[in-house]
């Protein structure tokens, strides 16, 4: 891809940290100009106006929606880099058609998200949050505790990608039985029993979601799936709010079938439904599973470096699409910066690994912590929704297992 013949402009649409110092240092060190939007994610129309005004060569986006109209608004645009993993706030198809790279940082928060999931499981088995609230309310009743031994439980991990594998490994260290559902998982997953989704739900005391949000996975867990779970079980969602029917979860908690729901993400975030808040079994955190001092700094630096790399005419390290050729650019057989070949159908193929099932499509999904929606990628084409359906392959990677979204 031909680099711009002038210093470029990079638009940071939004950010979930105190300032833009990390991004600015990387971008300006390469001779480009950083333009920063509001800290909070703006509506799609506001982002489109920012793009039209500044005509950036590159866009860095955290949770703000980058729509097809935004991508069309800058003829100079070369890359949209996600400050995160999931792509449900970017119109990937539109970028691909316009010859614009879409990238993510797929592995920056593997330990943090898996730690968060396991921490939520431990908080439930040991009653940490529930009995902290009891004590603060003036109730000291150790005889009333109904706690669990983790090593005797079966934990089901839905989505056996990077984060799912880390969660399974950590749960295995506690001695519990681990099941996993992922049609792209290797058949020899050591220490984990691979099974279909329905079987996993029926046999698991704890169900943990590590799945990207696509049309196929929207409300992957609803009333029907919750009814299959063992009575008194726990549901953990540290991926995307739209994977879960929140009303169905609330009903299950209120009826006593589901004992706990540990949710780091909500479909309505930042708004939290009052009835969910009223459930003693609800353990809620504000979309922070990805976060640590180390992970956030790494994320910001690597995403900004990806933009600088692409504007210098190099292929990105973590491409999530195969852009159409632009005037003056070469065509076909584009080599990703990590040595993977980005094929004509949009799959990212490693040099010694089979082709993933994933292709970049278009869908609607929640854009991070906002309640609005934006054009988003279907990270796998032709996948089936619901029980027994396939999970999408993680975009921008060369492996064949399903991925997660952060």
């Amino acid at each position: 891809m031909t680099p711009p013949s002038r210093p470029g402009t990079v638009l940071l649409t939004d950010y979930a940290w105190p300032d833009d110092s990390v991004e600015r240092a990387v971008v300006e060190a390469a001779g480009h100009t950083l333009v920063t939007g509001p800290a909070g994610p703006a509506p799609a129309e506001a982002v489109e106006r920012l793009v039209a005004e500044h005509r950036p060569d590159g866009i860095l986006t955290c949770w703000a929606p980058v729509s097809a109209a935004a991508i069309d608004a800058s003829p100079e645009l070369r890359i949209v880099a996600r400050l995160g993993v999931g792509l449900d706030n970017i119109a990937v198809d539109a970028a691909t058609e316009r010859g614009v790279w879409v990238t993510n940082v797929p592995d920056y928060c593997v330990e943090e998200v898996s730690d968060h999931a396991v921490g939520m499981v431990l908080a439930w088995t040991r009653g940490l949050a529930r009995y902290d609230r009891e004590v603060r309310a003036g109730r000291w009743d150790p005889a009333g505790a109904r706690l669990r031994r983790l090593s005797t439980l079966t934990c089901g991990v839905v989505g056996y990608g990077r984060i799912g594998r880390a969660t399974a490994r950590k749960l295995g260290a506690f001695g519990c039985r681990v099941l996993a559902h992922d049609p792209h998982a290797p058949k020899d997953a050591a220490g984990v029993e691979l099974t279909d989704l329905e079987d996993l739900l029926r046999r698991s005391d704890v169900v943990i979601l590590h799945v990207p949000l696509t049309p196929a996975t929207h409300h992957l867990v609803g009333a029907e799936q919750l009814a299959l779970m063992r009575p008194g079980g726990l549901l953990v969602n540290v991926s995307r709010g739209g994977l879960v029917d929140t009303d169905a979860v609330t009903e299950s908690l209120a009826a006593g079938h589901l004992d706990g729901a540990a949710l780091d993400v909500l479909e309505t975030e930042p708004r939290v439904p009052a009835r969910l808040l009223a459930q003693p079994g609800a353990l809620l955190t504000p979309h922070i599973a990805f976060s640590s001092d180390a992970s956030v700094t790494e994320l910001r630096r690597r995403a900004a470096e990806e933009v600088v790399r692409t504007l210098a005419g190099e292929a990105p390290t973590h491409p999530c699409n195969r852009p159409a050729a632009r005037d003056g650019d070469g065509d076909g057989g584009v080599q990703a910066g990590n040595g993977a070949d980005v094929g004509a159908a949009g799959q990212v193929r490693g040099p010694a690994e089979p082709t993933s099932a994933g292709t970049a499509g278009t869908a609607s999904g929640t854009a991070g912590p906002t309640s609005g929606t934006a054009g988003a990628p279907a990270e796998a084409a032709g996948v089936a929704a619901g029980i027994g359906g396939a999970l999408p392959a993680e975009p921008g990677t060369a492996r064949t297992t399903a991925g997660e979204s952060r």
Side-chain angles (χ1 to χ4, degrees), residues 37-138:
E45 296 79 9
V47 174
E48 291 158 12
R49 288 194 295 271
L50 277 172
V51 174
E53 177 183 356
H54 298 286
R55 295 168 65 99
D57 301 89
I59 293 176
L60 281 162
T61 186
C62 186
W63 287 318
V66 180
S67 65
I71 291 166
D72 286 339
S74 179
E76 291 82 10
L77 188 63
R78 296 279 168 158
I79 179 173
V80 179
R82 171 81 211 287
L83 288 149
V85 182
L87 303 174
D88 47 288
N89 60 321
I90 301 172
V92 178
D93 267 359
T96 302
E97 292 168 5
R98 280 263 288 104
V100 174
W101 287 107
V102 175
T103 64
N104 66 355
V105 187
D107 53 358
Y108 79 98
C109 61
V110 171
E111 299 304 326
E112 285 78 7
V113 177
S114 58
D115 284 353
H116 204 86
V118 173
M120 285 177 147
V121 175
L122 288 169
W124 175 70
T125 59
R126 304 311 307 153
L128 300 182
R130 183 173 297 191
Y131 291 107
D132 174 77
R133 292 193 293 262
E134 290 282 307
V135 171
R136 291 176 186 276

Side-chain angles (χ1 to χ4, degrees), residues 13-406:
T13 62
D14 62 308
Y15 50 98
W17 26 86
D19 56 43
D20 63 1
S21 59
V22 174
E23 297 84 357
R24 186 170 297 279
V26 173
V27 170
E28 292 185 349
H32 304 300
T33 299
L34 181 72
V35 176
T36 303
E45 296 79 9
V47 174
E48 291 158 12
R49 288 194 295 271
L50 277 172
V51 174
E53 177 183 356
H54 298 286
R55 295 168 65 99
D57 301 89
I59 293 176
L60 281 162
T61 186
C62 186
W63 287 318
V66 180
S67 65
I71 291 166
D72 286 339
S74 179
E76 291 82 10
L77 188 63
R78 296 279 168 158
I79 179 173
V80 179
R82 171 81 211 287
L83 288 149
V85 182
L87 303 174
D88 47 288
N89 60 321
I90 301 172
V92 178
D93 267 359
T96 302
E97 292 168 5
R98 280 263 288 104
V100 174
W101 287 107
V102 175
T103 64
N104 66 355
V105 187
D107 53 358
Y108 79 98
C109 61
V110 171
E111 299 304 326
E112 285 78 7
V113 177
S114 58
D115 284 353
H116 204 86
V118 173
M120 285 177 147
V121 175
L122 288 169
W124 175 70
T125 59
R126 304 311 307 153
L128 300 182
R130 183 173 297 191
Y131 291 107
D132 174 77
R133 292 193 293 262
E134 290 282 307
V135 171
R136 291 176 186 276
R139 293 184 288 273
W140 188 276
D141 182 23
R146 298 292 180 267
L147 304 176
R148 299 160 182 83
R149 178 180 288 181
L150 180 53
S151 64
T152 66
L153 302 182
T154 297
C155 297
V157 178
V158 182
Y160 198 61
R162 291 182 182 89
I163 301 175
R165 292 197 300 271
T167 297
R169 170 174 48 82
K170 293 169 185 178
L171 288 171
F174 284 97
C176 54
R177 183 179 190 178
V178 181
L179 309 179
H181 169 64
D182 189 329
H184 306 287
K187 298 186 183 301
D188 58 346
V192 173
E193 181 183 345
L194 297 174
T195 187
D196 61 60
L197 181 58
E198 181 174 350
D199 184 62
L200 180 148
L201 292 170
R202 291 186 186 278
R203 295 167 57 195
S204 297
D205 302 288
V206 176
V207 174
I208 303 171
L209 304 181
H210 288 308
V211 182
L213 179 63
T214 72
T217 60
H218 180 255
H219 286 188
L220 181 69
V221 175
E224 178 184 355
Q225 291 74 31
L226 292 168
L228 293 175
M229 289 180 61
R230 289 180 174 178
L234 170 70
L235 174 69
V236 178
N237 185 11
V238 289
S239 292
R240 281 291 186 267
L243 297 173
V244 171
D245 182 340
T246 307
D247 290 340
V249 168
T250 304
E251 290 295 334
S252 187
L253 287 169
H257 177 72
L258 195 64
D259 184 72
L263 309 175
D264 182 57
V265 288
L266 293 171
E267 194 166 21
T268 58
E269 62 186 59
R271 183 180 65 82
V272 183
R275 192 153 179 258
L276 178 64
L277 282 173
Q279 302 304 316
L283 175 61
L284 309 173
T285 54
H287 203 146
I288 56 168
F290 71 93
S291 184
S292 73
D293 51 357
S295 69
V296 170
T297 300
E298 178 184 347
L299 168 68
R300 298 169 65 185
R301 174 183 55 78
R302 289 174 59 189
E305 288 173 348
E306 195 81 295
V307 171
V308 167
R309 184 179 300 112
T310 303
L311 296 188
E314 301 175 30
T317 301
H318 293 292
C320 300
N321 67 337
R322 196 278 192 189
R326 301 165 63 127
D327 291 341
D329 292 342
D331 186 24
V334 178
Q335 286 292 319
N338 58 6
D341 172 61
V342 185
Q347 301 103 324
V348 181
R349 296 191 292 271
E353 295 181 324
T355 301
S356 164
T359 62
T362 302
S364 288
T366 55
T370 66
S371 59
T373 59
E379 288 142 338
V383 294
I387 293 176
L391 297 178
E394 181 174 347
T397 67
R399 63 181 181 78
T400 57
T401 55
E404 310 89 1
S405 293
R406 293 309 303 167

